[in-house]
Amino acid sequence: MKLKLIPLFAFVFILFGCKNDDDVNPEVLTQNHWEKVFQDASLDPPYEVVYSIDFQANGVVNYEAFFRDLENKNVLGFIEYYSGTYQIVQNKITVSITEHYTNQVSGEMYSDKEKLSLVDIDNQTREFQLRNKNSELHTIMPLYASSLGIIYDRVEK
């Protein structure tokens, strides 16, 4: 009778005892740089749009979105940037934004970082999850959002 229970216990242990590959590992989160790059070589000069996020071990997060020359990798200008703090709760990373700057010049796709305007914020947050064995950082979009969100790739620092 006892021998028949061993496979049952082994199955229960495997089912509930294994760690999920997508559990948030704080070291993976903070020891890497996360970015998504979209390229457009059809324009002159060819450029790429970079969305970049860095999590620090002390709970601080920094985000930048900017245009970069595709050939020489020089930054052409910024779309927005923000800073804040983050928490990890039940494998969800919640960012609380404390300062948010955006390009509010009509007709311009980007501008110098110093010329971006501070946005009046009140409880502005973003949510993320690590997926695909901690190789991707996925934006969690609110229900009925008009966007699918951004999937950031892990880049070693």
Side-chain angles (χ1 to χ4, degrees):
M1 174 71 173
K2 291 181 183 178
L3 291 176
K4 291 181 180 179
L5 292 177
I6 291 175
L8 177 64
F9 286 127
F11 175 74
V12 170
F13 176 76
I14 290 170
L15 186 63
F16 295 105
C18 293
K19 184 178 178 184
N20 184 347
D21 283 338
D22 292 332
D23 286 350
V24 175
N25 180 338
E27 289 181 4
V28 170
L29 187 66
T30 60
Q31 291 178 358
N32 292 282
H33 172 75
W34 303 89
E35 71 179 22
K36 183 63 178 179
V37 179
F38 296 98
Q39 295 182 351
D40 190 343
S42 66
L43 296 178
D44 187 30
Y47 70 87
E48 55 190 4
V49 181
V50 180
Y51 299 92
S52 165
I53 190 163
D54 283 299
F55 296 89
Q56 298 173 17
N58 63 0
V60 172
V61 63
N62 293 298
Y63 166 88
E64 294 180 329
F66 54 90
F67 281 80
R68 183 167 64 190
D69 186 293
L70 190 57
E71 294 170 355
N72 62 24
K73 302 297 184 186
N74 290 335
V75 174
L76 301 171
F78 287 81
I79 304 166
E80 69 175 332
Y81 70 94
Y82 66 74
S83 61
T85 59
Y86 70 94
Q87 292 183 6
I88 302 170
V89 178
Q90 296 179 348
N91 291 321
K92 184 168 62 171
I93 305 150
T94 302
V95 172
S96 298
I97 299 171
T98 54
E99 286 189 321
H100 187 183
Y101 293 83
T102 64
N103 180 17
Q104 297 183 358
V105 178
S106 179
E108 290 189 25
M109 293 178 13
Y110 55 83
S111 120
D112 293 335
K113 195 171 188 177
E114 316 71 58
K115 294 182 180 178
L116 297 181
S117 301
L118 180 64
V119 176
D120 186 23
I121 58 173
D122 188 28
N123 297 324
Q124 196 176 53
T125 61
R126 302 283 191 274
E127 294 181 326
F128 303 92
Q129 278 185 323
L130 285 177
R131 294 192 183 150
N132 293 331
K133 297 182 182 179
N134 292 316
S135 66
E136 297 175 344
L137 180 70
H138 287 239
T139 305
I140 301 173
M141 298 303 291
L143 195 59
Y144 305 116
S146 61
S147 173
L148 296 176
I150 295 176
I151 299 172
Y152 299 85
D153 296 313
R154 182 173 72 192
V155 179
E156 306 260 338
K157 285 185 180 178

